[in-house]
Amino acid sequence: MARERTNPELLVALDPAGGPLHRQLEAAIRAGIRGGRLVVGSALPSSRALAASLGVSRGVVVTAYEQLTAEGYLTGRSGGYTTIATGPVPTAAPPPTAPPPARISFGYGRTDVSRFPRAAWLRSIRRVLTTAPFDRFGYTSGQGTPELRAALAEYLNRVRGTDARPETIVVCAGYAQAANLLIQVLRAAGATRLAVEDPSGDDDARPLAHACGMTVTGVPVGPDGIDVTALTGVAADALVLTPSHQWPTGGVLPAGARTAVIRWAADHDALVVEDDYDAEYRYDRAAVGAMQGLAPDRVAYVGSASKTLAPGLRLGWMVLPPRLVAPVVAAKVLADRGSPALDQLTFADFLTNGEFDRHLRRMRPLYRRRRDTLLAALARHTPQLRPVGIAAGQHLVAWLPPDLSEPAVEAAALARGLAVSGVGRFRLAPGPPGLLFGYGHLSTDTIEEAVTLLASALHDLT
């Protein structure tokens, strides 16, 4: 009976009675590539090593490699290495009407990560590695390192007007985890109803609440943020709010409305979750303080470094009513045993040494120039659009004329290589059509080009 020769690296089996050995080897390697088992860029054994492993002459392997190279499956590299040059063959061809990829995107929620202060961050890392106590690198309580909680309390009280103390702060992995932990804790305590702004983000609190079995109610938003008159008729256990810069419309909740929201929370024994979105970037008006400072027992304040430094840091924080600290910390420990200590200590040093303030002072004029470029380009090329929410942040909304639909504009823009999102996808109830323009990550030249593409799309539609 013929005995098969098998190579354990490639899982190739050759049958001496099954025809020319180099053809069998070609077919085996070809099948591995087409099926995805052998991935692009991975190196194959040398012809000498593979021949010895299979118990065949080196010429068998050389012939197979040469044929597969001619077919485009393999390629030669300097040093004599042979590597996989192509990927698996798809099981079905893509649909012929697939949309073209976007060359430019007005994507929302994007900061310019190319401006991350690497040198200053590296200095903080070095200081931390030199001076931090060894016990800081062990398991933490889940609440966060004392150094970061103290630095955050000082910064938030000074800059955002909060009433924060280190013992009421919990460090987390960005706003998304903060929302997750708070909703878990509220649901465990018997909460069944969540109120949100309409429109509002559709990728954090809303789906999390639905996943926990809570009902979600939308409260209409006006030019100045949430409509407090409509809120009075809403019964909910918690309200998620972006009072300093409503997402996405950009309204700033005035003092009287803030007082009304706090009164509503007290009347319904509800928690206000304050998402302090884009609060550090204000251009045309003085900064507005956080609501948490008005009612620290009713408001859970949430902030993050995602829009100011980089979302990849996954650094966020909550300033909580004292009654919520212990259950939120317990949920945090259950989720991930606490956020990474080195990142926390580094950010604490970064804050304490004033690097965060300096970074924000450098970035504000940069984002303001990009905003001004966008506004000027919209006024020049698309005067039929009406921008709102322009005083702060890294995005704005522009309302469309009522005879234009968001999907039609999105499709026409994408046909020209421009991605832009309509506001409608973030609504719970119907509302006027509008487009969302994220500009923080775009250069001024790219913004000009993008608005020109949009103007061309609108011209064809009208």
Side-chain angles (χ1 to χ4, degrees):
M1 178 177 176
R3 185 179 60 171
E4 289 190 341
R5 302 188 181 105
T6 304
N7 174 257
E9 293 181 77
L10 295 181
L11 297 179
V12 171
L14 302 182
D15 181 0
L21 295 178
H22 70 277
R23 297 293 187 195
Q24 294 185 51
L25 182 56
E26 291 168 21
I29 296 176
R30 191 183 293 112
I33 295 173
R34 292 169 66 89
R37 182 171 59 82
L38 303 179
V39 299
V40 174
S42 59
L44 296 181
S46 68
S47 58
R48 191 180 307 278
L50 183 55
S53 177
L54 290 172
V56 299
S57 71
R58 186 181 175 218
V60 169
V61 180
V62 170
T63 301
Y65 279 8
E66 288 177 346
Q67 178 60 33
L68 292 170
T69 300
E71 295 177 11
Y73 286 98
L74 304 181
T75 186
R77 292 283 178 88
S78 59
Y81 293 106
T82 299
T83 60
I84 310 299
T86 187
V89 175
T91 56
T97 57
R103 189 167 52 82
I104 305 174
S105 174
F106 275 122
Y108 56 90
R110 301 185 188 180
T111 195
D112 188 347
V113 293
S114 71
R115 303 293 178 134
F116 182 80
R118 295 183 184 223
W121 193 260
L122 181 58
R123 289 194 295 270
S124 290
I125 291 177
R126 286 172 171 160
R127 278 193 293 267
V128 164
L129 290 175
T130 302
T131 63
F134 287 114
D135 61 2
R136 290 293 185 264
F137 298 98
Y139 285 109
T140 68
S141 68
Q143 187 169 357
T145 64
E147 292 87 347
L148 180 53
R149 289 187 284 117
L152 283 169
E154 187 281 329
Y155 173 79
L156 294 172
N157 292 343
R158 170 173 57 88
V159 174
R160 299 300 301 125
T162 60
D163 182 6
R165 301 185 302 278
E167 60 269 24
T168 62
I169 292 177
V170 177
V171 178
C172 57
Y175 175 77
Q177 187 182 46
N180 194 347
L181 296 175
L182 286 168
I183 287 173
Q184 284 184 45
V185 168
L186 291 171
R187 187 70 185 91
T192 60
R193 303 160 299 177
L194 180 72
V196 299
E197 298 165 313
D198 187 12
S200 60
D202 64 346
D203 58 353
D204 39 61
R206 282 161 49 179
L208 289 168
H210 284 304
C212 288
M214 300 177 71
T215 60
V216 177
T217 301
V219 184
V221 166
D224 297 322
I226 195 169
D227 184 343
V228 293
T229 301
L231 179 64
T232 58
V234 174
D237 302 297
L239 168 66
V240 179
L241 205 59
T242 51
S244 296
H245 186 224
Q246 200 281 325
W247 196 95
T249 64
V252 178
L253 201 64
R258 293 176 179 228
T259 301
V261 169
I262 293 170
R263 187 183 308 115
W264 170 89
D267 292 342
H268 291 80
D269 192 23
L271 177 73
V272 176
V273 179
E274 180 180 10
D275 177 7
D276 204 22
Y277 183 84
D278 271 349
E280 287 87 355
Y281 293 127
R282 308 208 69 82
Y283 313 123
D284 300 326
R285 58 185 299 171
V288 179
M291 278 185 61
Q292 189 271 348
L294 302 175
D297 290 335
R298 283 286 167 202
V299 179
Y301 174 96
V302 182
S304 84
S306 294
K307 304 300 182 292
T308 51
L309 287 171
L313 291 177
R314 305 315 306 142
L315 270 171
W317 45 88
M318 294 174 271
V319 183
L320 300 173
R323 69 184 184 279
L324 291 179
V325 173
V328 169
V329 169
K332 170 70 173 171
V333 170
L334 186 62
D336 57 17
R337 297 295 187 270
S339 296
L342 179 59
D343 295 343
Q344 295 184 61
L345 295 171
T346 301
F347 189 41
D349 182 272
F350 195 80
L351 280 167
T352 303
N353 284 282
E355 296 291 357
F356 192 55
D357 293 299
R358 283 188 281 274
H359 174 68
L360 292 176
R361 285 196 294 270
R362 287 191 296 267
M363 297 306 293
R364 285 189 190 103
L366 174 71
Y367 289 135
R368 177 168 187 158
R369 283 194 298 274
R370 294 177 181 180
R371 187 226 36 188
D372 291 347
T373 298
L374 176 58
L375 288 174
L378 290 173
R380 186 165 58 253
H381 298 293
T382 59
Q384 66 270 51
L385 303 188
R386 183 168 59 88
V388 296
I390 64 174
Q394 297 168 311
H395 81 274
L396 58 84
V397 164
W399 300 122
L400 290 167
D403 58 335
L404 283 175
S405 74
E406 293 174 1
V409 175
E410 291 175 3
L414 189 58
R416 290 160 174 78
L418 173 66
V420 62
S421 296
V423 177
R425 61 169 288 193
F426 306 107
R427 293 188 183 278
L428 294 170
L435 300 176
L436 187 58
F437 293 85
Y439 56 82
H441 61 296
L442 300 176
S443 69
T444 54
D445 288 343
T446 303
I447 291 171
E448 289 277 4
E449 180 183 1
V451 175
T452 301
L453 294 173
L454 177 63
S456 175
L458 294 177
H459 179 269
D460 287 353
L461 290 173
T462 56

